[in-house]
Amino acid sequence: MVDSTIFEGKTAVYYTLGCKLNFSETSTIGRTLRNAGIRTARKGEKADIIVVNTCSVTEVADHKCRQAIHKLTRRHPGAYVVVTGCYAQLKPETVSHIAGVDVVLGADQKGDILKYLDNLEKRQTGTAVTSPLKDIRTFIPSCSRGDRTRYFLKVQDGCDYFCTYCTIPFARGRSRNGTIESLVKEAQQAADEGGKEIVITGVNIGDYGKTTHETFLDLIKELDKVEGIRRYRISSIEPDLLTDEVIDFVARSRAFMPHFHIPLQSGSDPVLKLMHRRYDTALFANKIQRIKEEMPDAFIGVDVMVGTRGETEEYFEDAYHFIDSLDVTQLHVFSYSERPGTMALKIDYMVSPDEKHRRSQLLLNLSEKKTHAFYERHIGKEVVVLAERAKAGMPMHGFTDNYIRVELPHNNAIDNQLVRVRLGQFNVEGTALIGELQ
Ligand code: SF4
């Protein structure tokens, strides 16, 4: 039992790097600390506790984590420093030796942060508390408020796929999830607080149900019944786990939006094999076709990685043509980054940084062309937009059901409201369509 009187009047700052999952977990950690009497430090105020939730997706991410720790310890001298997240789980010893760090918590410990704050007495050298990968079993539920309209509901954690380039399974452990019952409760609570939109997050969401013997389809069917939540978006789902039943349900559901985010990673079959991905281009093309048959206006975002080991010039050309042929809306392009301990390092063929950059630019241009054409097709249509709060005097923004960004004149009365809008031309920056309230 933690003696919470030692926390009274103390303050904390939080710093998060990486994905939406990390952000939603930091928000849960923040809630735990607030419940113990530790309030969030105001801007410019010196904090007693620093919490850094790290990421390790690339070499650059590791570097940013170290930089963030240095910066925060300088800004809050004498604060008790807790570091958690993927970099902490992967490199606990390295992180515990960074100047100022007191405790490093692994994936299994971050839900229990209060236990590791001791008496907030600073240590000579940091201590690392992590569990071996095979023992990481805890599912830390979290539903964080992105802003007033959007919530991020974590439904699953970890991954059993072991793609050759990825360190996530080593950082987050095996696939596990919350029960449908508990997740529906979280969604209901978000609705009670006035939340209208929930983004369903996880590491490998389609794998939902491993630990509770439930299915992703059953989960989304139950979430769809939560009154008050008007919109759900599925943050990212592996193509082999995006079943036809899930696509059909989304098409007919009350609140699941015609919006998909599917990682392709490579449009070349030999490269997909080298990556140990569990599908080929034919399956991927088939999923896109099915979505478009059921929901012709669906927004489809696709992750693509360039310059992985083994991606020869010829394979990249094939991949480019395949991606060009797909009826998708946007590409999220990542450059391959070498990660210690991954199987990809055994593949001999390497792509130079300049060539990675060239490939990345080609795909970014293709993405822009596709997104522009998609937006253009919608000009003149009447749609529903969920308007989001903006600073006084600034234009408001919001998204249509199929994720088109819309710019609206400032109007406090429509904040967090679903409004009917006619779509006009692109805004000056070319980042949204101008909407006219109907
Ligand atoms: S599916 Fe592959 S890329 Fe995605 S988290 Fe799992 S191992 Fe990593």
Side-chain angles (χ1 to χ4, degrees), residues 97 123 174 219 346 393 409:
H97 283 97
R123 300 164 191 254
R174 307 309 287 257
L219 169 68
K346 298 208 171 95

Side-chain angles (χ1 to χ4, degrees), residues 247-266:
I247 297 173
D248 295 351
F249 177 74
V250 169
R252 284 159 196 68
S253 74
R254 175 188 67 86
F256 276 82
M257 298 291 101
H259 173 192
F260 293 85
H261 182 158
I262 319 171
L264 168 65
Q265 307 308 17
S266 173

Side-chain angles (χ1 to χ4, degrees), residues 35-51:
N35 291 342
I38 302 166
R39 72 172 168 80
T40 305
R42 283 185 281 273
K43 223 176 164 197
E45 184 181 19
K46 197 187 95 50
D48 301 300
I49 303 162
I50 298 170
V51 179

